[in-house]
Amino acid sequence: MTEPRRPLMAGNWKMNVNHFEAIALVQKLAFALSDKDLEAVDVLVLPPFTDLRSVQTLIDGDRYRIAYGAQDISVHESGAYTGEISGSMLAKLGCSYVLAGHSERREHHAEVDEIVAAKVRSAQRHSMIPILCVGERLEIRREARHVEYVLGQVEAALGDLSTEALSAIVFAYEPVWAIGTGEVATPEDAQEVCGAIRGLVSQRSESAGESVRILYGGSVKMSSVAGIMAQPDIDGCLVGGASLDPDEFIGIVRYRLLAQADQV
Ligand code: 13P
Protein backbone atom coordinates (compact mmCIF):
# COMPACT_ATOMS: atom_id res chain seq x y z
CA MET A 1 0.00 0.00 0.00
CA THR A 2 1.23 3.46 -0.79
CA GLU A 3 1.53 6.07 1.94
CA PRO A 4 -1.03 8.86 1.81
CA ARG A 5 0.51 12.15 0.65
CA ARG A 6 1.13 14.63 3.48
CA PRO A 7 -0.54 17.98 2.85
CA LEU A 8 1.85 20.93 2.50
CA MET A 9 0.84 24.53 3.13
CA ALA A 10 3.51 26.95 1.97
CA GLY A 11 3.55 30.71 2.54
CA ASN A 12 5.39 32.65 -0.16
CA TRP A 13 6.02 36.03 1.43
CA LYS A 14 7.42 37.47 -1.83
CA MET A 15 9.14 40.85 -1.28
CA ASN A 16 7.34 41.57 2.00
CA VAL A 17 8.38 41.38 5.66
CA ASN A 18 11.79 42.49 6.96
CA HIS A 19 13.80 40.29 9.31
CA PHE A 20 12.29 41.79 12.47
CA GLU A 21 8.78 41.30 11.13
CA ALA A 22 9.72 37.80 10.04
CA ILE A 23 10.52 36.82 13.63
CA ALA A 24 7.14 38.13 14.81
CA LEU A 25 5.26 36.35 12.02
CA VAL A 26 6.94 32.98 12.58
CA GLN A 27 6.39 33.29 16.34
CA LYS A 28 2.70 33.95 15.83
CA LEU A 29 2.38 30.90 13.61
CA ALA A 30 4.33 28.71 16.02
CA PHE A 31 2.31 29.79 19.05
CA ALA A 32 -1.02 29.31 17.32
CA LEU A 33 -0.38 26.00 15.57
CA SER A 34 -0.88 22.99 17.81
CA ASP A 35 1.00 19.69 17.67
CA LYS A 36 -2.14 18.25 16.15
CA ASP A 37 -2.09 20.84 13.33
CA LEU A 38 1.56 20.12 12.62
CA GLU A 39 1.07 16.38 12.71
CA ALA A 40 -1.61 16.67 10.03
CA VAL A 41 0.04 19.20 7.72
CA ASP A 42 3.57 20.26 6.75
CA VAL A 43 3.88 24.02 7.18
CA LEU A 44 6.50 25.94 5.22
CA VAL A 45 7.44 29.62 5.04
CA LEU A 46 9.38 31.15 2.15
CA PRO A 47 10.74 34.50 3.36
CA PRO A 48 12.98 36.89 1.44
CA PHE A 49 16.69 35.99 1.52
CA THR A 50 17.49 38.70 4.06
CA ASP A 51 15.15 37.11 6.63
CA LEU A 52 16.47 33.57 6.37
CA ARG A 53 19.18 33.76 9.05
CA SER A 54 16.74 35.23 11.60
CA VAL A 55 14.09 32.65 10.73
CA GLN A 56 16.64 29.85 10.99
CA THR A 57 17.87 31.02 14.41
CA LEU A 58 14.32 31.26 15.74
CA ILE A 59 13.07 27.94 14.36
CA ASP A 60 16.19 26.00 15.37
CA GLY A 61 16.49 27.69 18.77
CA ASP A 62 12.88 27.09 19.76
CA ARG A 63 12.56 23.81 17.87
CA TYR A 64 9.49 24.88 15.95
CA ARG A 65 8.13 22.28 13.56
CA ILE A 66 7.86 24.78 10.74
CA ALA A 67 10.00 24.35 7.64
CA TYR A 68 11.52 27.26 5.76
CA GLY A 69 13.03 27.80 2.38
CA ALA A 70 13.93 30.35 -0.26
CA GLN A 71 12.04 31.99 -3.11
CA ASP A 72 14.80 31.57 -5.67
CA ILE A 73 18.23 30.01 -6.22
CA SER A 74 21.12 30.70 -8.55
CA VAL A 75 21.91 28.22 -11.30
CA HIS A 76 25.60 28.86 -10.57
CA GLU A 77 27.63 27.32 -7.76
CA SER A 78 29.77 30.36 -6.91
CA GLY A 79 31.74 33.17 -8.50
CA ALA A 80 31.24 36.53 -10.17
CA TYR A 81 27.41 36.65 -10.21
CA THR A 82 26.57 39.88 -8.43
CA GLY A 83 23.34 39.70 -6.50
CA GLU A 84 22.88 35.94 -6.86
CA ILE A 85 22.43 33.48 -3.97
CA SER A 86 23.85 29.98 -4.39
CA GLY A 87 22.40 26.63 -3.42
CA SER A 88 25.24 25.97 -0.98
CA MET A 89 24.49 29.26 0.82
CA LEU A 90 20.83 28.30 1.16
CA ALA A 91 21.63 24.76 2.28
CA LYS A 92 24.04 26.15 4.89
CA LEU A 93 21.14 28.24 6.25
CA GLY A 94 19.10 25.07 6.68
CA CYS A 95 16.63 25.74 3.89
CA SER A 96 14.73 22.61 2.97
CA TYR A 97 12.70 23.93 0.02
CA VAL A 98 13.33 26.37 -2.85
CA LEU A 99 10.86 27.81 -5.35
CA ALA A 100 11.87 27.34 -8.98
CA GLY A 101 10.20 29.18 -11.82
CA HIS A 102 7.65 31.26 -9.95
CA SER A 103 5.63 33.17 -12.55
CA GLU A 104 6.91 36.49 -11.18
CA ARG A 105 10.47 35.31 -11.83
CA ARG A 106 9.50 34.08 -15.29
CA GLU A 107 7.80 37.38 -16.08
CA HIS A 108 10.05 40.02 -14.51
CA HIS A 109 13.41 38.24 -14.71
CA ALA A 110 13.11 36.45 -18.02
CA GLU A 111 13.35 33.01 -16.48
CA VAL A 112 12.80 30.72 -19.41
CA ASP A 113 12.21 26.98 -19.08
CA GLU A 114 15.94 26.18 -19.42
CA ILE A 115 16.78 28.37 -16.45
CA VAL A 116 13.93 26.89 -14.42
CA ALA A 117 15.22 23.39 -15.24
CA ALA A 118 18.71 24.41 -14.08
CA LYS A 119 17.26 25.81 -10.83
CA VAL A 120 15.46 22.54 -10.09
CA ARG A 121 18.80 20.74 -10.50
CA SER A 122 20.67 23.35 -8.49
CA ALA A 123 18.29 22.84 -5.53
CA GLN A 124 18.59 19.07 -5.74
CA ARG A 125 22.40 19.18 -5.91
CA HIS A 126 22.21 20.74 -2.45
CA SER A 127 19.57 18.32 -1.11
CA MET A 128 16.78 20.88 -1.07
CA ILE A 129 13.31 20.16 -2.44
CA PRO A 130 12.48 22.31 -5.46
CA ILE A 131 8.91 23.56 -5.72
CA LEU A 132 8.51 23.73 -9.48
CA CYS A 133 5.98 26.46 -10.30
CA VAL A 134 4.00 26.33 -13.52
CA GLY A 135 0.89 28.08 -14.78
CA GLU A 136 -0.70 29.72 -17.78
CA ARG A 137 -1.55 33.34 -18.54
CA LEU A 138 -5.15 34.35 -19.14
CA GLU A 139 -5.00 34.40 -22.93
CA ILE A 140 -3.79 30.81 -22.99
CA ARG A 141 -6.69 29.71 -20.79
CA ARG A 142 -9.11 31.63 -23.02
CA GLU A 143 -7.78 29.66 -25.96
CA ALA A 144 -8.32 26.47 -23.91
CA ARG A 145 -4.61 25.57 -24.29
CA HIS A 146 -3.87 25.66 -20.56
CA VAL A 147 -3.36 21.93 -19.99
CA GLU A 148 -0.96 21.44 -22.90
CA TYR A 149 0.87 24.68 -22.00
CA VAL A 150 1.40 23.72 -18.36
CA LEU A 151 2.45 20.18 -19.26
CA GLY A 152 4.95 21.69 -21.68
CA GLN A 153 6.43 23.76 -18.83
CA VAL A 154 6.63 20.65 -16.64
CA GLU A 155 8.27 18.55 -19.40
CA ALA A 156 10.81 21.29 -20.08
CA ALA A 157 11.77 21.53 -16.42
CA LEU A 158 11.98 17.78 -15.88
CA GLY A 159 14.05 16.98 -18.96
CA ASP A 160 15.81 13.69 -18.37
CA LEU A 161 15.59 13.74 -14.59
CA SER A 162 15.91 10.30 -12.93
CA THR A 163 12.91 8.71 -11.20
CA GLU A 164 14.57 9.36 -7.87
CA ALA A 165 15.01 13.05 -8.63
CA LEU A 166 11.47 13.25 -10.03
CA SER A 167 10.08 11.86 -6.76
CA ALA A 168 11.87 14.60 -4.83
CA ILE A 169 10.07 17.51 -6.51
CA VAL A 170 6.98 19.37 -5.32
CA PHE A 171 4.85 20.81 -8.12
CA ALA A 172 2.86 24.02 -7.81
CA TYR A 173 0.17 24.93 -10.31
CA GLU A 174 -0.33 28.68 -10.17
CA PRO A 175 -2.45 30.10 -12.98
CA VAL A 176 -1.02 33.58 -13.59
CA TRP A 177 -4.50 35.13 -13.86
CA ALA A 178 -5.31 33.99 -10.31
CA ILE A 179 -2.16 35.33 -8.62
CA GLY A 180 -2.79 38.37 -6.46
CA THR A 181 -6.01 39.12 -8.31
CA GLY A 182 -8.50 37.73 -5.81
CA GLU A 183 -9.73 35.53 -8.64
CA VAL A 184 -9.21 32.01 -7.35
CA ALA A 185 -9.51 29.13 -9.82
CA THR A 186 -12.50 26.93 -9.19
CA PRO A 187 -11.61 23.65 -7.49
CA GLU A 188 -12.51 21.87 -10.75
CA ASP A 189 -10.23 24.13 -12.83
CA ALA A 190 -7.37 23.55 -10.40
CA GLN A 191 -8.01 19.79 -10.32
CA GLU A 192 -8.04 19.54 -14.12
CA VAL A 193 -4.47 20.82 -14.39
CA CYS A 194 -3.13 19.19 -11.23
CA GLY A 195 -4.57 15.86 -12.37
CA ALA A 196 -2.88 16.29 -15.74
CA ILE A 197 0.47 17.03 -14.03
CA ARG A 198 0.12 13.86 -11.96
CA GLY A 199 -0.74 11.94 -15.12
CA LEU A 200 2.44 13.17 -16.79
CA VAL A 201 4.59 12.24 -13.77
CA SER A 202 2.90 8.80 -13.60
CA GLN A 203 3.82 8.14 -17.24
CA ARG A 204 7.47 8.50 -16.26
CA SER A 205 7.14 6.61 -12.99
CA GLU A 206 3.98 5.20 -11.46
CA SER A 207 5.36 5.39 -7.93
CA ALA A 208 6.48 9.01 -8.40
CA GLY A 209 3.03 9.81 -9.76
CA GLU A 210 1.48 8.45 -6.59
CA SER A 211 3.87 10.10 -4.17
CA VAL A 212 4.66 13.59 -5.52
CA ARG A 213 2.83 16.48 -3.96
CA ILE A 214 1.06 18.98 -6.17
CA LEU A 215 0.05 22.36 -4.76
CA TYR A 216 -2.39 24.94 -6.06
CA GLY A 217 -1.57 28.64 -5.77
CA GLY A 218 -3.47 31.80 -6.70
CA SER A 219 -5.54 33.91 -4.28
CA VAL A 220 -6.00 31.05 -1.80
CA LYS A 221 -7.80 32.20 1.34
CA MET A 222 -9.41 30.59 4.34
CA SER A 223 -12.73 30.92 2.54
CA SER A 224 -11.60 29.00 -0.56
CA VAL A 225 -9.09 26.47 0.75
CA ALA A 226 -11.44 23.63 1.75
CA GLY A 227 -12.92 23.19 -1.74
CA ILE A 228 -9.47 23.17 -3.30
CA MET A 229 -8.10 20.66 -0.80
CA ALA A 230 -11.07 18.35 -1.42
CA GLN A 231 -9.72 17.65 -4.92
CA PRO A 232 -8.01 14.29 -5.34
CA ASP A 233 -4.80 15.54 -6.99
CA ILE A 234 -4.23 18.65 -4.87
CA ASP A 235 -2.02 18.11 -1.83
CA GLY A 236 -1.55 21.62 -0.55
CA CYS A 237 -1.44 25.30 -1.40
CA LEU A 238 1.19 27.88 -2.23
CA VAL A 239 -0.18 30.99 -0.57
CA GLY A 240 0.95 34.55 -1.31
CA GLY A 241 -0.97 37.47 0.18
CA ALA A 242 -2.89 35.45 2.75
CA SER A 243 0.34 34.03 4.21
CA LEU A 244 1.27 37.50 5.49
CA ASP A 245 -1.77 37.52 7.78
CA PRO A 246 -1.15 34.97 10.54
CA ASP A 247 -4.86 34.41 11.23
CA GLU A 248 -5.59 33.73 7.55
CA PHE A 249 -2.60 31.44 7.11
CA ILE A 250 -3.40 29.51 10.30
CA GLY A 251 -6.97 29.13 9.03
CA ILE A 252 -5.62 27.76 5.74
CA VAL A 253 -3.40 25.27 7.58
CA ARG A 254 -6.53 24.18 9.50
CA TYR A 255 -8.55 23.62 6.33
CA ARG A 256 -9.75 20.29 7.69
CA LEU A 257 -11.69 22.01 10.45
CA LEU A 258 -13.22 24.41 7.90
CA ALA A 259 -14.24 21.45 5.75
CA GLN A 260 -15.88 19.77 8.76
CA ALA A 261 -17.69 22.99 9.72
CA ASP A 262 -19.09 23.22 6.15
CA GLN A 263 -20.63 19.79 6.52
CA VAL A 264 -22.46 20.61 9.77
P1 13P B 1 -1.53 35.12 -4.01
O1 13P B 1 -1.97 34.09 -2.99
O2 13P B 1 -1.24 36.46 -3.39
O3 13P B 1 -2.47 35.18 -5.16
O4 13P B 1 -0.12 34.62 -4.57
C1 13P B 1 0.00 33.33 -5.05
C2 13P B 1 1.43 33.07 -5.30
O5 13P B 1 2.01 33.58 -6.25
C3 13P B 1 2.14 32.19 -4.37
O6 13P B 1 3.39 31.84 -4.86
Side-chain angles (χ1 to χ4, degrees), residues 29 32 43 61 70 95 108 112 124 130 136 166 173 193 207 211 221 223 226 228 234:
L29 298 179
V43 177
C95 290
H108 305 304
V112 294
Q124 292 194 323
E136 81 285 358
L166 178 61
Y173 169 53
V193 180
S207 65
S211 66
K221 301 228 160 29
S223 55
I228 290 166
I234 301 181

Side-chain angles (χ1 to χ4, degrees), residues 10-14 46 99 102-104 133 172 174-175 178-183 216-221 237-243:
N12 175 10
W13 296 356
K14 308 193 179 184
L46 300 160
L99 294 183
H102 190 280
S103 65
E104 287 150 17
C133 303
E174 297 204 302
I179 295 178
T181 58
E183 190 171 342
Y216 166 79
S219 298
V220 174
K221 301 228 160 29
C237 295
L238 183 52
V239 185
S243 71

Side-chain angles (χ1 to χ4, degrees), residues 79-217:
Y81 300 102
T82 302
E84 293 275 282
I85 305 288
S86 73
S88 65
M89 292 170 181
L90 298 175
K92 202 76 180 165
L93 282 166
C95 290
S96 40
Y97 292 81
V98 179
L99 294 183
H102 190 280
S103 65
E104 287 150 17
R105 303 283 324 164
R106 292 180 192 256
E107 189 182 334
H108 305 304
H109 301 272
E111 280 191 13
V112 294
D113 285 336
E114 275 163 16
I115 295 177
V116 176
K119 290 191 171 190
V120 166
R121 283 151 184 78
S122 198
Q124 292 194 323
R125 267 198 307 279
H126 295 281
S127 305
M128 293 178 287
I129 299 172
I131 301 180
L132 169 61
C133 303
V134 291
E136 81 285 358
R137 293 185 310 279
L138 188 57
E139 64 268 23
I140 291 172
R141 176 159 284 266
R142 286 205 176 119
E143 291 164 10
R145 290 195 295 118
H146 48 286
V147 173
E148 72 180 275
Y149 180 85
V150 168
L151 294 187
Q153 286 181 318
V154 172
E155 280 283 10
L158 297 183
D160 60 358
L161 227 50
S162 68
T163 303
E164 198 188 337
L166 178 61
S167 308
I169 291 182
V170 170
F171 294 84
Y173 169 53
E174 297 204 302
V176 176
W177 48 271
I179 295 178
T181 58
E183 190 171 342
V184 62
T186 64
E188 294 73 25
D189 284 344
Q191 166 59 29
E192 180 192 27
V193 180
C194 293
I197 295 172
R198 191 175 306 286
L200 186 154
V201 176
S202 298
Q203 277 172 14
R204 291 178 168 233
S205 155
E206 211 173 308
S207 65
E210 275 167 23
S211 66
V212 294
R213 291 186 288 186
I214 304 177
L215 315 182
Y216 166 79

Side-chain angles (χ1 to χ4, degrees), residues 6-50:
R6 258 182 84 71
L8 171 63
M9 292 301 179
N12 175 10
W13 296 356
K14 308 193 179 184
M15 198 175 72
N16 299 291
V17 185
N18 65 36
H19 69 287
F20 291 115
E21 295 161 342
I23 292 171
L25 182 48
V26 172
Q27 272 174 338
K28 279 186 191 147
L29 298 179
F31 288 145
L33 292 170
S34 64
D35 283 346
K36 221 168 153 196
D37 292 327
L38 296 165
E39 269 152 30
V41 175
D42 285 344
V43 177
L44 166 67
V45 292
L46 300 160
F49 291 130
T50 51

